[in-house]
């Protein structure tokens, strides 16, 4: 069973581009459009990695991260914050919330793929 | 302390009394001590003076008047002696009678008369005597009062005429004889003036006048050297003893004595009962005093002090007559004068005391005025001192220094009053000015407060604007980033996915351009955001001790692809050891990245870039020690006009004026902001054609060890190699 990656962003094109990179890397993709949906999907699908945007309608990404990390069911999930807010205080806050990685937009798909493989290991597909 | 002006009066009075009474008292004492002697002296002088005066008058009476008259009488006597000298001759009697009558006429008018005339021959033998009272002419009879021995001492008596000479008048005519007589008279007058001719004076008896016996030589008219004979006359004369002798006595108990030295009898005395008696009997003390051991002193007044007797102590002034063998004795008792003198002294003292008293009263009066003036002055001065300058002027009509002082006071008071009035006026003006000033200040303050409020409002609005701008920029950049993220992601995905597919190279290159430009757009957005945060002060600085070389190496690492692409060499000219500066490591790395990127862009391919570090001279104002990092390229350099402008925003210049490839136009502007926040500077030097050099100064860390220790945790950029 291949590993699953949850991608949560309110911007569909970004979800699509990240999903393409994840799928090409050989992982299953689950998507969510906001925080609530992301939490529900995380509990339901038990993903191995979650990409979270911060600025989203409803629950903000860092809050979603805090809840994921405080829920025993989702505690082991890797969380990568992928945000346009690239300031240091944003990064520090994300780390405080328990995020494993902090990446800023715009991102380089090449580097994103390398990071995913580093975190989840190469499934040996492509 | 209140000073009583009246004490001045007391002092003045005391000084005055002391100054006036002390000398008087001393003088009085001295006078009292010496009064006895002084009175003695005075009384003696007075007595001597009286004696002198009496003798002078007596001598005058004896010498002049009687002599004159007898001289006149000489004429008929001469006639008689010349014509009829024989005793008992009728001629002689007739002559004498004629003479007598003549003399009567002569003396009568002077209240004097002769009692008898005796004619004597040259041998002094009496020839004839004429008694006036009886009119009898007695020839040849010696007169008891006629002393022949005395005659020999008379003038001309010793002329050597041994006996009677024959008469010569017979041979002489009458008229020439008279002429001779005339001449003879003159000669006789001369003789009389020189000789003693008054034989004696008998004191007055009862109310009869004293009798003067006069011997008169008679010369021959024709032969002045030949003496015809002598005339002896006894003349009674009141003139000799004037009644006022008694007035000459001195003092109550003093008296005057005229004494006949030969007989020792009193010729005259203040007390009539003494006259005619021997002085030795009536007053033995005075008699002794009046008979000095050396008689014959005519001019000297002999003074003798008589201490015994009932009269007490007295003085006797004795003077001998020059015309007669008499002595004039004036006595006085100093005792009575001493009392007088003391009384006079006492009187004087009383008068002086009265005068002093009067003067003291006068002084009191005068000082009273002075005191009142001074009191008035003092009151005025107190009034002025009390602050009452408008009161009436001090009045002192003393016409002296006090008035001058009072006027000076008034002038001063007036001056002070004017001064105070001026001051009050000035103070009032100042007060008014102050009030108006206060009002103006309040007004101005209100204006300023209004302005301030407006300013605050404006400031708030500005801040709000700034916040809005920042939020806007943040939002905008975020909103930019979202589509940019998609562009970047899909461009890169496409670029990678088309790898190996038969796509024309030109299209492949276009896709690469999209990718690179989206990267550039991302950097631009980041720079704009950073610049905005630095300017608004919202940038968070993590100041620490930063190792300079490591930071530079990190910046060079980020530029390795570009360096490789242009085959550029990097030459390092660092200081020995790792220099530690104080700053934000990420921002400093960004500065070095910008400057080095600039050098990479400016350098021609295959050239060399030099990066170095130098110690800076210590700042004069005592700031921290600085280091200077420089980056030199071999490019075309920068025009002098552009050396500063390259640090402006969006001002991209290259040597050829072309826009630099991939630059944002904000790198150097941000670098300058960062350097200045660190207290350093950044500037460029260039010689067009031979490259340019960028200098950055930074403060050295004060504790280099701490910086290295804190660097144990690697910076975010190291942890995130793909960032930026």
């Amino acid at each position: 069973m291949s590993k699953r990656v949850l991608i949560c962003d309110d911007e569909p094109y970004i979800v699509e581009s990240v999903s393409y990179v994840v799928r090409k890397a050989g992982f299953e993709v689950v998507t969510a459009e906001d925080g609530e949906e992301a939490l529900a999907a995380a509990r339901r699908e038990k993903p191995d990695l979650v990409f979270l945007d911060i600025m989203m309608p409803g629950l903000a990404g860092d809050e979603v991260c805090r809840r994921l990390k405080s829920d025993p069911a989702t505690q082991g999930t890797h969380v990568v914050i992928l945000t346009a807010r690239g300031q240091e205080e944003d990064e520090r806050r994300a780390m405080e919330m328990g995020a494993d990685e902090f990446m800023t937009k715009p991102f380089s798909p090449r580097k994103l793929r390398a990071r995913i493989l580093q975190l989840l290991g190469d499934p040996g597909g492509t | 302390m209140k000073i009583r002006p009246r004490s001045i009066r007391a002092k003045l009075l005391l000084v005055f009394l002391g100054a006036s009474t002390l000398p008087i008292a001393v003088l009085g004492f001295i006078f009292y001590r010496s009064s006895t002697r002084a009175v003695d002296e005075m009384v003696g002088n007075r007595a001597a003076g009286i004696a002198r005066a009496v003798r002078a008058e007596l001598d005058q009476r004896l010498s002049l008047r009687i002599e004159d008259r007898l001289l006149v009488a000489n004429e008929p006597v001469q006639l008689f002696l010349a014509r009829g000298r024989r005793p008992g001759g009728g001629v002689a009697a007739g002559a004498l009678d004629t003479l007598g009558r003549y003399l009567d006429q002569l003396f009568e008018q002077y209240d004097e008369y002769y009692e008898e005339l005796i004619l004597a021959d040259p041998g002094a033998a009496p020839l004839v005597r004429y008694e006036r009272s009886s009119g009898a002419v007695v020839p040849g009879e010696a007169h008891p009062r006629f002393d022949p021995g005395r005659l020999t001492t008379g003038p001309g008596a010793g002329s050597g005429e041994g006996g009677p000479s024959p008469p010569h008048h017979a041979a002489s005519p009458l008229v020439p004889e008279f002429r001779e007589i005339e001449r003879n008279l003159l000669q006789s007058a001369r003789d009389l003036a020189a000789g003693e001719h008054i034989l004696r004076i008998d004191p007055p008896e009862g109310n009869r006048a004293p009798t003067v016996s006069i011997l008169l030589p008679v010369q021959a008219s024709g032969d002045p050297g030949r003496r015809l004979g002598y005339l002896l006359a006894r003349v009674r004369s009141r003139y000799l003893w004037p009644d006022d002798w008694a007035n000459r006595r001195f003092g109550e108990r003093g008296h005057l004595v005229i004494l006949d030295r030969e007989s020792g009898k009193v010729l005259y005395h203040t007390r009539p009962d003494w006259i005619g008696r021997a002085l030795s009997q009536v007053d033995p003390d005075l008699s002794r005093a009046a008979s000095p051991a050396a008689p014959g002193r005519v001019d000297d007044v002999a003074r003798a002090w008589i201490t015994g007797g009932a009269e007490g102590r007295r003085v006797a002034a004795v003077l001998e007559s020059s015309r007669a063998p008499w002595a004039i004795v004036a006595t006085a008792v100093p005792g009575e004068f001493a009392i007088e003198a003391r009384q006079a002294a006492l009187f004087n003292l009383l008068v002086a005391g009265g005068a002093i008293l009067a003067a003291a009263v006068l002084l009191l009066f005068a000082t009273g005025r002075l005191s009142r003036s001074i009191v008035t002055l003092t009151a005025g001065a107190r009034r002025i001192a009390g602050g009452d300058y408008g009161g009436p002027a001090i009045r002192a009509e003393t016409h002296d220094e006090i008035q001058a002082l009072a006027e000076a006071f008034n002038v001063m008071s007036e001056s002070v009053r004017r001064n105070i009035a001026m001051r009050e006026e000035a103070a009032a003006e100042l007060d008014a000015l102050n009030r108006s000033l206060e009002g103006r200040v309040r007004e101005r303050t209100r204006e300023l407060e209004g302005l301030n409020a407006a300013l605050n409002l404006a400031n708030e609005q500005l801040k709000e604007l700034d916040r809005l701008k920042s939020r806007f920029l943040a939002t905008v950049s975020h909103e930019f980033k979202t589509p940019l993220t998609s562009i970047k992601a899909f461009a890169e995905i496409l670029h990678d996915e088309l790898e190996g597919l038969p796509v024309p190279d030109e299209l492949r290159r276009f896709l690469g351009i999209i990718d690179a430009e989206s990267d550039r757009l991302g950097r631009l957005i980041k720079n704009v955001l950073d610049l905005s945060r630095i300017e608004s002060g919202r940038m968070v600085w993590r100041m620490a001790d930063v190792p300079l070389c490591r930071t530079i190496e990190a910046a060079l690492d980020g530029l390795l692809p570009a360096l490789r692409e242009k085959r550029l060499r990097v030459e390092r000219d660092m200081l020995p050891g790792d220099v530690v500066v104080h700053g934000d490591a990420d921002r400093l790395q960004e500065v070095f990245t910008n400057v080095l990127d600039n050098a990479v862009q400016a350098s021609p391919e295959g050239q060399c870039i030099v990066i170095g570090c130098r110690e800076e001279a210590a700042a004069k104002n005592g700031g921290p020690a600085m280091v200077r990092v420089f980056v030199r390229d071999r490019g075309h350099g920068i025009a002098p006009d552009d050396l500063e402008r390259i640090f402006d925003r969006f001002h991209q210049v290259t040597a050829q004026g072309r826009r630099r490839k991939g630059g944002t136009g904000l790198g150097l502007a941000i670098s300058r902001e960062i350097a200045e926040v660190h207290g350093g500077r950044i500037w460029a030097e260039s010689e067009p054609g031979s490259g340019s050099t960028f200098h950055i100064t930074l403060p050295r860390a004060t504790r280099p060890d701490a910086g290295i220790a804190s660097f144990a945790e690697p910076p975010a950029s190291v942890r995130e190699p793909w960032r930026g």
Side-chain angles (χ1 to χ4, degrees):
Chain A
M1 179 181 162
S2 63
K3 291 182 176 174
R4 247 172 286 181
V5 175
L6 172 62
I7 299 163
C8 175
D9 204 312
D10 58 329
E11 286 291 334
Y13 291 152
I14 290 177
V15 171
E16 196 178 338
S17 62
V18 172
S19 297
Y20 181 82
V21 172
V22 169
R23 269 196 301 273
K24 286 289 283 183
F27 302 104
E28 277 183 39
V29 171
V30 180
T31 62
E33 286 185 7
D34 56 37
E36 298 287 349
E37 197 179 327
L39 280 175
R43 288 190 196 105
R44 187 180 62 239
E45 303 291 339
K46 306 275 193 255
D48 298 288
L49 177 65
V50 180
F51 279 99
L52 274 173
D53 185 19
I54 289 178
M55 294 175 74
M56 291 185 295
L59 272 180
D62 43 2
E63 178 58 22
V64 174
C65 172
R66 191 187 67 78
R67 290 190 187 181
L68 288 174
K69 286 295 178 180
S70 56
D71 187 348
T74 55
Q75 214 166 21
T77 306
H78 292 286
V79 177
V80 174
I81 299 292
L82 182 64
T83 177
R85 292 176 59 163
Q87 299 304 320
E88 284 164 14
E89 63 263 29
D90 301 319
E91 181 180 350
R92 194 171 59 245
R93 181 171 167 75
M95 291 304 165
E96 281 167 11
M97 294 297 165
D100 297 287
E101 293 291 339
F102 184 84
M103 298 179 72
T104 54
K105 298 176 187 170
F107 62 91
S108 161
R110 241 169 273 143
K111 289 179 181 175
L112 188 69
R113 174 187 157 89
R115 202 80 189 114
I116 294 165
L117 292 177
Q118 191 183 340
L119 286 169
L120 297 179
D122 196 340
T126 48
Chain B
M1 186 181 130
K2 189 176 179 180
I3 297 166
R4 295 187 50 189
R6 285 184 200 286
S7 64
I8 291 175
R9 298 178 70 188
K11 283 174 194 165
L12 276 175
L13 197 62
L14 212 63
V15 167
F16 170 76
L17 287 177
S20 54
T21 51
L22 202 66
I24 285 176
V26 170
L27 282 177
F29 180 71
I30 291 169
F31 180 73
Y32 180 79
R33 285 291 301 274
S34 61
S35 64
T36 309
R37 211 171 53 209
V39 167
D40 282 358
E41 184 68 21
M42 184 264 291
V43 170
N45 285 345
R46 284 288 299 274
I50 286 168
R52 272 200 196 93
V54 169
R55 189 190 75 165
E57 188 167 347
L58 199 59
D59 282 356
Q60 190 195 24
R61 285 168 190 269
L62 286 173
S63 61
L64 291 176
R65 301 298 174 87
I66 293 169
E67 283 165 17
D68 288 349
R69 275 144 229 172
L70 291 181
L71 274 177
V72 173
N74 205 14
E75 184 184 340
V77 172
Q78 277 182 336
L79 282 173
F80 167 76
L81 287 176
R83 289 183 183 170
R85 50 185 296 193
R86 296 196 192 281
V91 178
L96 278 176
D97 189 45
T98 308
L99 181 63
R101 281 201 298 273
Y102 180 74
L103 287 174
D104 275 348
Q105 289 173 6
L106 205 64
F107 279 82
E108 222 169 38
Q109 55 185 321
Y110 296 105
D111 195 21
E112 288 164 355
Y113 57 91
Y114 64 93
E115 282 196 329
E116 62 180 358
L117 293 170
I118 297 168
L119 284 173
D121 66 5
L127 296 174
V128 64
R129 187 166 66 93
Y130 174 73
E131 285 182 13
R132 186 183 173 275
S133 55
S134 59
V137 177
V138 184
E141 190 178 294
H143 191 272
R145 295 184 191 271
F146 195 85
D147 183 0
R150 190 65 190 272
L151 288 175
T152 56
T153 64
S159 57
E161 289 168 334
S165 302
H168 61 277
H169 61 272
S172 307
L174 190 62
V175 174
E177 277 185 6
F178 273 101
R179 286 201 186 107
E180 280 179 31
I181 288 168
E182 195 176 355
R183 281 197 297 275
N184 195 32
L185 280 173
L186 291 171
Q187 181 61 44
S188 297
R190 281 194 289 275
D191 289 345
L192 282 170
E196 291 183 19
H197 48 275
I198 293 172
L199 297 177
R200 55 194 286 174
I201 292 180
D202 292 320
E205 294 160 12
N207 53 359
R208 295 178 70 189
T211 308
V212 183
S213 299
I214 303 167
L215 181 69
L216 195 68
V218 181
Q219 312 286 357
S221 298
D223 182 4
R226 181 175 153 236
R227 184 168 292 162
L228 293 176
Y230 294 97
L231 170 68
L232 179 75
R234 281 207 318 132
V235 182
R236 280 193 185 278
S237 175
R238 287 218 174 274
Y239 179 76
L240 277 175
W241 301 109
D243 291 334
D244 58 354
W245 284 139
N247 298 337
R248 302 298 180 93
R249 74 170 179 186
F250 180 45
E252 285 293 319
R253 288 189 284 159
H255 45 85
L256 180 70
V257 182
I258 299 173
L259 186 66
D260 187 336
R261 278 200 179 283
E262 290 173 357
S263 63
K265 286 185 178 173
V266 174
L267 294 177
Y268 172 79
H269 193 266
T270 318
R271 286 163 64 176
D273 56 315
W274 281 25
I275 295 172
R277 298 170 70 186
L279 185 61
S280 55
Q281 287 176 352
V282 294
D283 192 342
D285 295 332
L286 188 61
S287 175
R288 271 194 299 278
S291 54
R297 293 181 306 168
V298 175
D299 292 324
D300 290 344
V301 177
R303 272 183 217 175
W305 288 95
I306 303 159
T307 49
E311 299 290 336
R313 190 167 170 277
R314 53 191 170 142
V315 67
V318 184
L319 188 63
E320 292 184 356
S321 170
S322 56
R323 291 287 178 192
W326 301 338
I328 296 107
V329 180
T331 61
V333 181
E336 53 180 314
F337 297 103
I339 291 163
E340 267 180 47
R342 277 170 201 167
Q343 280 174 348
L346 192 65
F347 179 73
N348 283 346
L349 280 177
L350 281 175
V351 168
I356 288 169
L357 213 62
V361 169
L362 214 65
L363 184 73
L364 277 177
F365 175 71
T367 53
R369 292 193 65 182
L370 190 71
S371 284
R372 279 195 298 281
S373 305
I374 290 173
V375 165
T376 313
L377 275 183
T378 311
R382 286 220 178 92
R383 213 176 56 227
I384 290 164
D388 177 14
Y389 305 100
I394 300 167
R395 287 191 213 294
E397 300 290 334
T398 51
H399 303 287
D400 57 8
E401 292 87 343
I402 294 289
Q403 187 174 354
L405 186 62
E407 280 163 8
F409 246 122
N410 289 337
V411 169
M412 186 199 74
S413 168
E414 177 62 19
S415 166
V416 168
R417 190 187 64 72
R418 270 205 302 264
N419 202 338
I420 283 175
M422 275 166 62
R423 282 195 192 179
E424 281 172 353
E425 205 175 317
E429 277 179 27
L430 201 64
D431 203 34
L433 210 63
N434 271 342
R435 272 200 294 276
S436 82
L437 199 64
E438 278 172 19
R440 275 153 66 184
V441 165
R442 267 200 298 275
E443 195 179 324
R444 190 86 185 112
T445 308
R446 270 199 302 277
E447 286 174 18
L448 283 175
E449 277 169 356
L451 278 175
N452 211 16
L455 210 61
N456 279 337
L457 190 65
N459 207 16
E460 285 300 318
Q461 286 171 347
L462 272 177
K463 279 183 183 169
E464 182 61 27
L465 270 177
D466 194 49
R467 275 195 296 275
L468 285 171
K469 186 190 83 175
S470 293
R471 203 183 304 157
F472 172 75
L473 277 174
T475 309
V476 161
S477 60
H478 183 254
E479 292 305 318
F480 281 174
K481 278 177 183 176
T482 303
L484 183 63
T485 303
S486 302
I487 293 166
K488 161 74 185 170
F490 288 119
E492 197 177 307
I493 287 167
L494 270 178
H495 187 269
D496 288 353
E497 290 302 316
L498 291 176
E499 193 74 38
L501 294 182
V503 176
D505 284 347
E506 196 172 25
L507 293 185
R508 203 183 298 277
R509 199 175 71 82
F510 290 167
L511 210 53
I513 288 169
I514 293 171
D515 189 15
E517 286 297 288
S518 59
D519 281 347
R520 183 177 159 193
L521 187 57
R523 282 200 303 277
L524 179 63
I525 289 167
K526 180 185 174 294
N527 282 348
V528 166
L529 263 175
D530 282 350
L531 205 56
S532 159
R533 288 162 71 88
I534 290 171
E535 281 176 350
S536 64
R538 286 181 295 111
M539 177 67 87
V540 176
W541 300 89
R542 293 195 299 183
M543 305 303 273
D545 292 342
V546 179
L548 193 62
C549 288
R550 269 205 247 170
T551 312
I552 289 171
E553 292 304 326
L556 280 170
D557 283 349
L559 290 166
L560 272 177
L563 289 166
R564 277 196 207 105
E565 188 183 338
K566 291 186 88 170
R567 294 182 289 110
L568 294 173
R569 251 179 330 109
V570 175
E571 215 170 83
R572 293 169 179 79
D573 185 9
M574 310 302 287
L575 290 169
D578 198 357
V579 176
V580 180
V581 297
H582 182 72
D584 184 320
D586 290 348
R587 301 297 163 200
L588 289 181
Q589 187 182 330
E590 188 178 345
V591 170
F592 297 140
T593 301
N594 284 333
V595 174
L596 283 167
D597 182 51
N598 233 40
V600 168
Q601 298 297 330
S603 293
E605 281 197 18
Q607 268 293 349
C608 175
I609 293 173
V610 180
I611 182 158
C613 173
R614 291 283 184 276
E615 297 268 9
E616 270 290 90
K620 282 176 187 170
N621 54 9
M626 307 291 281
V627 288
R628 175 169 54 84
V629 177
F630 63 91
V631 175
R632 186 158 59 232
D633 62 62
R634 301 279 184 203
H636 294 279
I638 304 165
D641 287 347
D642 289 328
L643 279 175
E644 271 301 302
R645 282 194 286 179
I646 53 172
F647 294 98
D648 292 346
R649 290 165 204 180
F650 304 110
H651 189 90
Q652 297 184 28
V653 184
T654 62
Q656 293 82 16
R658 290 180 287 125
R659 282 185 70 85
R660 211 188 71 200
K661 198 177 102 187
T664 64
L666 289 172
L668 285 177
I670 287 178
S671 295
R672 173 161 275 189
E673 294 282 351
I674 292 169
E676 284 173 0
V677 166
H678 280 76
R681 290 200 304 131
I682 181 169
W683 73 98
E685 289 170 358
S686 177
E687 282 184 28
S690 61
S692 50
T693 308
F694 282 77
H695 303 272
I696 305 117
T697 60
L698 292 167
R700 297 192 73 147
T702 47
R703 293 176 300 122
D705 298 340
I708 292 164
S710 74
F711 207 70
E713 185 190 350
S717 58
V718 174
R719 278 187 337 195
E720 252 188 296
W722 65 85
R723 186 185 160 208

